[in-house]
Amino acid sequence: MARPVVTLSNEGRQLDRQTASATFPSAAPAVADARRFVRKVLADWGMDEVADDAVLATSELATNAVAYAGTSFEVTCRLEAGEIKIEVRDRHPTRGIDMPGVTATSGRGLPSLARLAASWGVSYDRRSKGVWFRLPRPGADDSAASGSLTGEAPALAGGRAGRERAGRTGPDETAGEAGEGGGQTRGRLSGGVGDVPVAGDRLLRSPTAVESMEDGVAGVRELLGADGAAVLLTERDGRLIMGASAGTATDVSLGELSVAGLGPAARAGSAWVASDASDPTAAALQARSLAAAPLESQGRLTGLLVAVSSVPGRFGEADGVRLGRLADEMSLSLEKARVGELERSWRGWLSFVAEASDLLAGTLDQERTMALVAQLVVPRLATWCAVYNAAESGPDRLAYVWHADETRADGLRELLEHAGAAPPMDSPGPWNGLATAPAEVRAAAGDTATDQVYAFPLIARGRRIGTIVIGRPAGDRFPRSAIELAEELSRRAALAVDNARLFSAQTAMSSALQRSLLPPGIPEIPGLEVAVVYEPAGEGSEVGGDFYDVFESGRRPGGGPATAWRFAIGDVCGTGPEAAAVTGLARHALRILAAEDLSVPAVLTRLNRLILGEGERGRLLTLLHGEIAARRRSDGVTIKLTSAGHPPPLLLSPDGSVREAAAPQPLLGVFDGVEFHTDTVRLRRGEVLLCVTDGVTERRSGNRLLGDGHGLENLLSDCAGLSAGAVAARIQRAVRDFGPEPSNDDIALIVLRAS
């Protein structure tokens, strides 16, 4: 878990100049910690109104610091007279800032920052790079406040008007349908309302907009003395739906009324009056006369404000002019509500991406990552999702399928398995593969076979590793926001899947290497029970530095049974490939040198020279090496051993007393010309010799080590009378239970018991 270092200060003891900073490590959990830090600081300062914007911008910058700079980073919050300034500073000033769609593989980064902040910039010094942004202080009487997302008239950073900002498409807004063409026409008629309507039905999601429409129709009835009034809203396909109504316009079905059926006045953006029911809008509202005015947003039609009467010719030109003024006022009110709804939706979109990134970064299991991707997509973006793995040769392989309706999941999988292969595309696009499935499979899948489908490539580190395919029912077209969000999620998912794939490959390789460094088996030694335990630290992603071995070293002339055996237990400094190289060198060299009938001290001397000969590739090595010989009367064994910088072996007597069985000598890989000697142990029946690595003695629980205060000796003393296997199991269990956290060091032990 990231552990930020936090500093708080009041500069000059002024209440309007405060600073809080925290330093975070280069790790995925640090991004969430940075968000919590910023939210807490702003809450302490009473700035909750801008906390969401600040947290989202900080999240993007912290993600960039971890993903691209790869260093620890510092988050600083400053409260000044009319502004809040937040800066994220990393330790890698020479690396460029990635821009989505150009070089980045994830994140919205600076484009998100530009949208959230009143202003932003990048600063450099000799050792670090900082990206900062400013937000207006809530309630501050400052021109910068117009850029706040929380103000009534949102504006873009750089001073552009809020109305200009509202013209951009938000996460839940579409400037048109993202159909197969992926584009749309934004033509305008001569000086009038655009021929492509705004999705005005989205206003029904805003309580503020609904209240404004309800107040508006009540005001129209009162001002014009109308029998009824209504607000009609446009949908993307041009149809008109009821937004609010009063009087005789209540509970009226509009049928197939659409923008295309409106008269020339409506399409010119002007109010109009109809004296009879021949007007399509009057006919749809079951009225004999009508006054109507268009509602506009960004020069495009949002809807109509209408007054109706059951009397022909009820409204005159003056009524149309009045209604036009009311429509202009309502258009402004609805525009503010629409922009507010878009901003809330956009912040929710960024929050979803940020939280999805945290979830994806939290697992290194490839199968679980793909399952998580599918479950993030469904049902927020699509009705179903399938994830494909790229194969080295041939089509992609279907890896995971998820459907919002679990009863359809099996049918969907069958359909996808018989459909055309997932396209090896480099950019998102529609996919028609379901149409290639056999007719009987399509029939069994039901309506799912006619779903509209989009495919998104999973590209990580310049290589396509798979495809995400999402689908919705044919009548529920994908809005542009869903396509953009799925594309963003696919970029982040690709990195998460690739990281999990690389981790799995590294783990498998490390496990194979680890197995190759361990002995194939333990020989039978007359009069001696032998038990060994080996546990590498962590999840197997790195090869450990601990090793052990027990092997035959001497045979009678003529190929008779062995007369001597050797054992060794050692610990190479460090982990990974370098440590593995020394581990392999030591274990194999011990066997080769022992086969030449070299004594234990001579073996250690030669091994010491071999390690020193490795130069910079060498590693320090602690080693306990001994030779076992059976005694003639079969009353135990004799062991000659040398402890080269290793934890001394412990000898357990049947009465429970414990003592060290060898004197310490220099470790290997430090000095040349070291002379080693042996200590002799006569292991009698019932006595136990315990040999361990420092992963046992240095097992930590808080500030205590297992070996402190003769801890291991006391533990071994309680093992009197147990078999070698039982002693090994008890020591192993005690090491595991000693601390609440998993051990961060390898554990190896050998138990020899005379029988």
Side-chain angles (χ1 to χ4, degrees):
M1 180 180 292
R3 299 184 181 275
V5 179
V6 182
T7 303
L8 302 174
S9 67
N10 288 335
E11 299 178 3
R13 298 179 180 271
Q14 299 178 36
L15 293 179
D16 60 347
R17 289 183 62 81
Q18 299 183 46
T19 301
S21 64
T23 302
F24 302 87
S26 178
V31 178
D33 289 341
R35 289 200 298 267
R36 286 190 288 268
F37 166 72
V38 171
R39 189 175 294 280
K40 182 180 186 304
V41 169
L42 294 184
D44 292 343
W45 291 348
M47 306 295 168
D48 292 309
E49 294 179 45
V50 296
D52 288 342
D53 296 341
V55 165
L56 289 173
T58 302
S59 179
E60 290 298 321
L61 296 183
T63 299
N64 280 348
V66 172
Y68 302 133
T71 70
S72 63
F73 62 94
E74 180 182 25
V75 179
T76 301
C77 304
R78 289 188 176 89
L79 176 61
E80 299 176 351
E83 293 182 320
I84 299 164
K85 180 179 178 181
I86 298 177
E87 182 179 44
V88 177
R89 182 166 290 276
D90 62 58
R91 306 295 189 267
H92 203 316
T94 61
R95 199 162 186 175
I97 299 173
D98 292 85
M99 297 294 290
V102 181
T103 58
T105 52
S106 69
R108 292 282 180 181
L110 299 184
S112 296
L113 195 61
R115 182 160 189 170
L116 286 166
S119 60
W120 63 272
V122 183
S123 62
Y124 292 87
D125 59 32
R126 295 179 62 185
R127 296 182 177 85
S128 63
K129 175 186 85 269
V131 183
W132 56 266
F133 62 92
R134 287 190 174 95
L135 297 173
R137 182 174 175 177
D141 185 12
D142 190 283
S143 60
S146 64
S148 171
L149 295 183
T150 59
E152 290 188 355
L156 276 171
R160 281 177 281 175
R163 195 168 175 85
E164 179 185 353
R165 178 180 193 161
R168 291 195 317 278
T169 301
D172 287 329
E173 172 71 326
T174 56
E177 289 295 342
E180 297 198 7
Q184 75 167 45
T185 303
R186 284 180 177 265
R188 288 179 57 89
L189 301 180
S190 56
V193 178
D195 62 343
V196 178
V198 171
D201 58 328
R202 214 171 287 278
L203 293 169
L204 295 175
R205 303 177 186 177
S206 169
T208 303
V210 171
E211 182 179 356
S212 177
M213 288 187 290
E214 290 175 347
D215 291 344
V217 295
V220 166
R221 285 193 68 196
E222 182 178 351
L223 181 64
L224 301 185
D227 295 335
V231 174
L232 309 183
L233 298 175
T234 58
E235 289 193 311
R236 294 188 192 91
D237 60 2
R239 290 189 303 113
L240 290 166
I241 61 172
M242 189 70 74
S245 60
T248 58
T250 305
D251 298 329
V252 174
S253 173
L254 298 178
E256 297 301 319
L257 183 64
S258 68
V259 174
L262 299 178
R267 297 175 64 79
S270 303
W272 78 94
V273 174
S275 58
D276 56 39
S278 61
D279 183 272
T281 308
L285 291 171
Q286 302 174 14
R288 297 289 186 89
S289 60
L290 166 146
L295 301 171
E296 299 180 34
S297 172
Q298 307 302 305
R300 294 190 295 146
L301 190 65
T302 302
L304 302 175
L305 179 61
V306 183
V308 297
S309 174
S310 59
V311 178
R314 169 65 182 77
F315 303 105
E317 185 177 345
D319 295 319
V321 172
R322 285 187 208 162
L323 193 63
R325 294 197 194 101
L326 292 176
D328 287 342
E329 294 176 6
M330 182 177 287
S331 292
L332 289 174
S333 176
L334 294 181
E335 178 68 359
K336 290 180 181 179
R338 188 182 73 89
V339 170
E341 185 66 23
L342 289 179
E343 295 296 354
R344 283 191 295 274
S345 177
W346 192 78
R347 285 196 292 270
W349 169 66
L350 277 183
S351 295
F352 168 73
V353 172
E355 296 302 324
S357 297
D358 283 351
L359 288 171
L360 291 171
T363 177
L364 286 173
D365 181 272
Q366 187 173 356
E367 298 297 327
R368 187 180 303 171
T369 301
M370 289 187 292
L372 184 58
V373 169
Q375 292 172 34
L376 284 169
V377 169
V378 178
R380 176 148 188 168
L381 304 179
T383 305
W384 57 264
C385 176
V387 183
Y388 290 79
N389 277 336
E392 294 184 3
S393 60
D396 291 1
R397 179 180 62 84
L398 183 62
Y400 194 84
V401 175
W402 187 258
H403 198 293
D405 184 352
E406 294 182 4
T407 62
R408 295 192 173 192
D410 291 340
L412 173 62
R413 176 177 287 278
E414 184 77 8
L415 179 64
L416 291 170
E417 287 177 345
H418 287 83
M425 58 205 326
D426 294 325
S427 59
W431 181 55
N432 299 317
L434 299 184
T436 64
E440 61 273 15
V441 176
R442 290 171 52 82
D447 294 342
T448 303
T450 61
D451 282 359
Q452 56 168 329
V453 182
Y454 259 77
F456 301 84
L458 293 174
I459 299 175
R461 300 174 176 92
R463 186 173 62 90
R464 195 181 71 85
I465 61 173
T467 307
I468 295 178
V469 176
I470 63 175
R472 283 189 178 190
D476 184 12
R477 301 183 68 188
F478 281 104
R480 179 186 298 176
S481 59
I483 300 299
E484 291 178 347
L485 187 51
E487 184 177 359
E488 174 66 21
L489 189 61
S490 70
R491 283 195 290 266
R492 302 194 181 210
L495 281 179
V497 171
D498 197 45
N499 287 340
R501 181 188 62 82
L502 292 175
F503 179 80
S504 299
Q506 181 183 0
T507 300
M509 180 179 64
S510 296
S511 297
L513 179 56
Q514 190 77 68
R515 288 192 299 269
S516 73
L517 297 176
L518 296 177
I522 304 299
E524 293 286 340
I525 302 177
L528 193 68
E529 298 175 16
V530 181
V532 297
V533 169
Y534 177 76
E535 286 187 2
E539 301 180 16
S541 59
E542 282 197 339
V543 180
D546 290 11
F547 70 95
Y548 70 89
D549 201 358
V550 182
F551 56 92
E552 297 177 354
S553 64
R555 288 186 174 274
R556 290 191 176 95
T563 57
W565 297 263
R566 296 282 181 100
F567 72 93
I569 184 168
D571 185 359
V572 176
C573 177
T575 58
E578 295 83 359
V582 177
T583 299
L585 171 67
R587 196 177 76 79
H588 294 296
L590 283 170
R591 289 198 171 214
I592 293 171
L593 296 174
E596 296 180 2
D597 280 337
L598 293 179
S599 65
V600 169
V603 168
L604 267 62
T605 299
R606 294 279 293 274
L607 181 58
N608 185 48
R609 291 175 184 169
L610 287 172
I611 295 174
L612 289 170
E614 290 291 302
E616 294 183 356
R617 296 180 301 172
R619 286 287 189 275
L620 303 182
L621 171 64
T622 70
L623 182 65
L624 178 63
H625 181 38
E627 183 176 38
I628 304 169
R631 292 210 290 272
R632 293 180 179 179
R633 297 182 180 179
S634 301
D635 60 345
V637 295
T638 298
I639 302 175
K640 294 182 179 181
L641 52 82
T642 299
S643 178
H646 201 80
L650 300 179
L651 180 63
L652 170 65
S653 298
D655 61 3
S657 61
V658 177
R659 64 178 177 85
E660 292 183 358
Q665 299 179 55
L667 73 167
L668 307 180
V670 180
F671 305 109
D672 197 2
V674 178
E675 294 185 2
F676 297 98
H677 64 270
T678 58
D679 294 287
T680 301
V681 177
R682 292 178 174 82
L683 202 64
R684 295 180 174 84
R685 185 173 299 169
E687 291 183 330
V688 173
L689 187 70
L690 173 66
C691 312
V692 302
T693 59
D694 60 8
V696 174
T697 56
E698 295 181 5
R699 175 72 164 104
R700 182 174 293 277
S701 177
N703 294 324
R704 294 188 306 116
L705 301 179
L706 187 146
D708 289 346
H710 302 288
L712 184 58
E713 287 87 339
N714 296 334
L715 185 61
L716 182 60
S717 178
D718 293 336
C719 297
L722 298 180
S723 66
V727 173
R730 180 170 292 189
I731 301 296
Q732 181 184 24
R733 185 171 60 252
V735 172
R736 287 178 178 173
D737 297 343
F738 185 73
E741 301 294 332
S743 176
N744 59 1
D745 197 0
D746 304 329
I747 296 171
L749 61 90
I750 297 177
V751 178
L752 306 176
R753 181 180 183 274
S755 58

